[in-house]
Amino acid sequence: MKTLITLALLLSVAAFAGEKKEQHKMDMSKPGHAMINVPTIQCDNCVKTVTAAVKKVDGVESIKIDLDKKVAHVNFDPKKVKLADIEKAIAASGYDANNVKRNKKAHDALSPCCQSKR
Ligand SMILES: [Cu+2]
């Protein structure tokens, strides 16, 4: 009987450890970090425009754009702002963001070299 209890105890400890590990994994993918595809950016000027637009969003902590990969890495406070809000801010500045299409007016106001041909 004692062995059975010990075994049960060991099992629950193992299960708990497994759960802990899972939680840690979730922390690694951080809810406040997002990689946003910005396929229509073309130059440093585009990067500046998108960076400025995203920085204005309340709750955004930092943004770093990889121009080669056309991906924006954004850190934000998920209690203050949602990914969709950040995508909208990018679209409002004239650029596509994930599945959110750019605002046409804002896009047409960009300098001609920054306007997307697609
Ligand atoms: Cu540009």
Side-chain angles (χ1 to χ4, degrees):
M1 187 62 189
K2 211 174 173 192
T3 5
L4 205 69
I5 291 171
T6 315
L7 196 71
L9 206 73
L10 268 173
L11 272 173
S12 61
V13 166
F16 182 70
E19 213 170 275
K20 259 266 170 74
K21 216 172 168 183
E22 199 57 48
Q23 230 168 33
H24 183 66
K25 233 162 101 187
M26 271 172 65
D27 284 348
M28 291 301 285
S29 68
K30 285 205 300 176
H33 176 260
M35 281 168 66
I36 303 171
N37 288 314
V38 280
T40 56
I41 60 166
Q42 303 173 73
C43 69
D44 286 333
N45 207 29
C46 297
V47 170
K48 264 184 215 157
T49 305
V50 173
T51 301
V54 171
K55 273 188 174 166
K56 270 188 215 154
V57 179
D58 193 36
V60 167
E61 286 151 4
S62 66
I63 170 167
K64 182 132 184 36
I65 295 179
D66 185 329
L67 180 58
D68 292 331
K69 294 191 176 112
K70 300 188 190 296
V71 168
H73 295 261
V74 185
N75 286 302
F76 58 96
D77 181 347
K79 284 182 211 118
K80 283 188 188 163
V81 67
K82 286 194 288 282
L83 171 61
D85 300 322
I86 299 165
E87 290 170 342
K88 269 185 219 160
I90 295 173
S93 75
Y95 295 88
D96 292 351
N98 287 336
N99 294 321
V100 183
K101 203 76 186 151
R102 60 183 178 257
N103 174 285
K104 191 175 184 311
K105 246 178 140 179
H107 167 265
D108 292 351
L110 295 170
S111 63
C113 70
C114 288
Q115 292 181 15
S116 175
K117 277 90 211 158
R118 14 180 286 165

